[in-house]
Amino acid sequence: MWESGHIVSPPPLGSAANVLSRVPMNHKDQQSPAEQSRTAPSGLGLYLMSASVSLVLLGGALFVVLMEFNHDIGVIGRERTGLSYMHDVKPLLIEMQRVRGRSEIALEGEAARDDPSIERQRRELARQLGVLDEDPRSALLGTRAVVEGLKEGLLLPPRGAVESFNHYNHLISMINHDLVQRAALHSNLILDSQPDTYALVDLMVNRLPRLIEAVGRLRGRVSGSIARDDTGRADERLTMIGTALVRAEQLELREHWENLVSGFPTLKARLHPAIAHADRVTDVFVRLSTGNMTMVSTEYFRLGTRAIARWSAVWDQAAEALDARLSARINVLRRDRVLATAGSALALVPLLLAVTILYRRNRRAVAALVARDQELERLSLTDTLTGLRNRRSLDAVFDRESRRARREGKGFAFAMLDVDHFKQYNDRYGHHAGDVALKGIAEAMRRTLCRGGDFLFRLGGEEFGFCFAAASAEEARVAAERVRSEIERVALAHEASAVADVVTVSIGTCYWDAAVYWDLDFAIRCADRALYEAKRAGRNRVALTDLGSLAPPRAKAAP
């Protein structure tokens, strides 16, 4: 049945409308499975947090360990800096002692300052001290002021033998105590806790400089005494004092060294030959000093210089041994630092692996929950008997598809289908047969409306619905008629029907074009009115209400 015209005042909704009363839904119920999958907790945040905490804790521990290694390496590196500085200062000390000795030999009254070679040596020493003053190590070790004081003292010409001797003694004392010992202190060499390092530092900073200075003083005073004596003999008092001092320093060095290196046979074996040789050369020098024999001052000075050179060689070997030990300790620390870093990295692998396993388990659990929720949502939107969409699904589909049709410039059709005399069918054949008949009707609808834009619903009981975009009212009517005829063609026996001997349906369809937007409530009213007209006209037919571009009283403007 084709009914055209407009609806002025739709009648009150009958039983069909009551069945189609709207079911309120909250926001979560309206989410699609895809939206739920996106909004479901994935565990990624927990995984990232766990991994981050693990990295921070392990990284913090590694940072502390590496800082400790770097600190120890820096301390030993500073010790090596102090050692190299002392190594550069030692030639200045030896040369200063040489200048003092030559000044003693050359002094004849006030003539020492007139010796051009001594003056050249003094200026060369001042130049070397200037280079040392500009060395960054002087600032690092806090010795710059001492170096400047030495340079200024060298440029002051001494007056007289006693003043010259005391002047050079003061400068040499500044080198030994203020320069060498300060460098050893500020570089932490003196404070090193390793026994072998302490033994070598004590030998280089205290024992050897004192012995070398004792030999240098004996050499200078006795050489000067021989040079001033016409007979070529030395002053016995100066000789006795000097040789006693040298003997005492030799003895103290040997005893102290033996005690310190008793637990380090390798170190003892390395330095013992050099110390023994220096001892022998010094013994020869001391015996010559006390032999009461006549000799040339320069020859005696040369013997003293040889003894000093032997002890200077001992100092050099001690410096090499100390540098080798410091280098070995740095290498061990660097190796341990690499091992600590590698160990931390290896420890991080199982930690991250454990976190990753937990994350994957969590992901599987979350995926199972999402799948379950999606299945529950599908079931909540699907009629379990027929497999069609249910009334709850109609709310979302109708609004979405009607708006899409309007954007595409097409009209929209909504139809309601009711099985004729279905109560009598159930009474005649039973409710199980009624369920089978409803399934058959649903299958017939699927065969007929199978396009991508066709949506089928079971609205409740024996009532069905469908909606789709249509270019015209005639297209909507033809589609509804195809559904009706397909269901009749199934030929499900219905002997209790007053319409036909098979199951038939009545369909009420309404159509509107793209000019207006209808909400679902009003579309249900119009389709229900058309369905009422189809039943009143004798059932087993299609009734269509073509609204065209007429806006219903409760229609709202399309967004």
Side-chain angles (χ1 to χ4, degrees), residues 17-74:
N18 290 332
V19 173
L20 298 179
S21 59
R22 298 178 66 86
V23 179
M25 295 187 297
N26 56 35
H27 174 71
K28 184 177 180 181
D29 292 335
Q30 293 176 346
Q31 286 185 327
S32 66
E35 291 172 337
Q36 286 194 5
S37 178
R38 288 192 299 268
T39 57
S42 64
L44 180 60
L46 181 61
Y47 168 73
L48 293 177
M49 183 182 70
S50 301
S52 300
V53 170
S54 302
L55 287 173
V56 168
L57 292 178
L58 191 60
L62 179 61
F63 175 77
V64 172
V65 172
L66 292 182
M67 287 295 292
E68 188 65 25
F69 278 123
N70 290 336
H71 174 266
D72 293 343
I73 292 173

Side-chain angles (χ1 to χ4, degrees), residues 250-296:
Q250 274 186 283
L251 180 62
E252 184 177 354
L253 184 146
R254 282 196 295 266
E255 292 178 350
H256 192 73
W257 175 250
E258 291 293 335
N259 292 332
L260 286 177
V261 300
S262 58
F264 304 99
T266 305
L267 183 60
K268 183 178 180 179
R270 179 171 183 173
L271 292 182
H272 182 74
I275 293 177
H277 182 58
D279 258 339
R280 289 193 298 270
V281 173
T282 304
D283 288 341
V284 171
F285 174 67
V286 171
R287 283 197 302 271
L288 288 175
S289 301
T290 57
N292 198 24
M293 61 179 64
T294 302
M295 65 177 64
V296 180

